[in-house]
Amino acid sequence: MAEKLAPEKRHGFVHNGQKVFEWDQTLDEVNIYIALPPNVHSKQFYCKIQSKHLELGIKGNPPYLNHDLTSPVKTDSSFWTLEDDIMHITLQKRDKGQTWASPISGQGQLDPYATDLEQKRLMLQRFQEENPGFDFSQAQFSGNCPDPRTFMGGIRSD
């Protein structure tokens, strides 16, 4: 049932008319997907994940991305992989349940409507996680959605 509350689609981050990356999020993570250029050996790519900063590119060249993150991440449980010509970066949110409007601070922000939809989806994901016997996939909120981090005593930690 939890799969029904997974991100339905990825958000695109476009700069100067070119797609830089796609991304999505869950209660715990922000995932970034970057299409890799052809004919570059996998050992030439690098990615440095810091608490509030992300840098990645091809060794010996200027970074492809070199930006501050919207919010802090847990560096010890964040990582990156190369899969089928895609660099997949998994950033573990320091504040579980926080809705990110963009992975990159001050750039490519989701509009308020899309941000509200993300917050509602994360709230339903939280309900599903805390009540695994129930199906929240068809649940809806009327009006403003509460913050998943603080609603009804906040997110429970195991």
Side-chain angles (χ1 to χ4, degrees):
M1 283 182 246
E3 300 84 40
K4 295 178 185 176
L5 298 174
E8 294 177 17
K9 65 175 186 158
R10 296 177 182 165
H11 306 289
F13 181 85
V14 178
H15 182 69
N16 292 333
Q18 182 179 354
K19 185 183 290 185
V20 179
F21 61 81
E22 293 182 325
W23 69 282
D24 61 31
Q25 66 184 310
T26 66
L27 278 173
D28 300 299
E29 302 171 341
V30 172
N31 296 289
I32 299 174
Y33 308 90
I34 300 170
L36 299 175
N39 303 320
V40 179
H41 193 273
S42 61
K43 292 185 187 274
Q44 292 181 278
F45 294 102
Y46 75 95
C47 181
K48 289 192 334 192
I49 301 170
Q50 298 172 330
S51 175
K52 292 257 318 157
H53 193 83
L54 179 65
E55 180 184 331
L56 61 96
I58 299 172
K59 294 173 185 172
N61 292 287
Y64 180 70
L65 283 180
N66 189 13
H67 295 284
D68 287 336
L69 298 170
T70 295
S71 295
V73 299
K74 297 177 182 177
T75 56
D76 59 341
S77 50
S78 296
F79 59 93
W80 63 283
T81 60
L82 301 177
E83 310 164 3
D84 301 323
D85 297 327
I86 300 288
M87 179 182 278
H88 177 191
I89 304 164
T90 301
L91 303 172
Q92 187 75 30
K93 293 178 180 178
R94 190 186 72 192
D95 300 317
K96 181 177 179 178
Q98 182 175 21
T99 305
W100 287 27
S102 171
I104 304 300
S105 181
Q107 297 186 35
Q109 304 290 309
L110 296 178
D111 62 58
Y113 178 73
T115 301
D116 187 56
L117 290 177
E118 277 293 293
Q119 187 160 321
K120 288 176 180 177
R121 189 182 56 74
L122 292 180
M123 178 60 92
L124 292 175
Q125 199 176 60
R126 175 190 156 189
F127 288 160
Q128 185 69 59
E129 187 177 281
E130 293 177 356
N131 303 281
F134 294 93
D135 181 1
F136 292 96
S137 62
Q138 300 300 315
Q140 297 180 358
F141 288 95
S142 60
N144 291 337
C145 177
D147 186 333
R149 293 175 299 163
T150 58
F151 182 68
M152 293 182 65
I155 293 178
R156 297 181 203 144
S157 58
D158 296 331

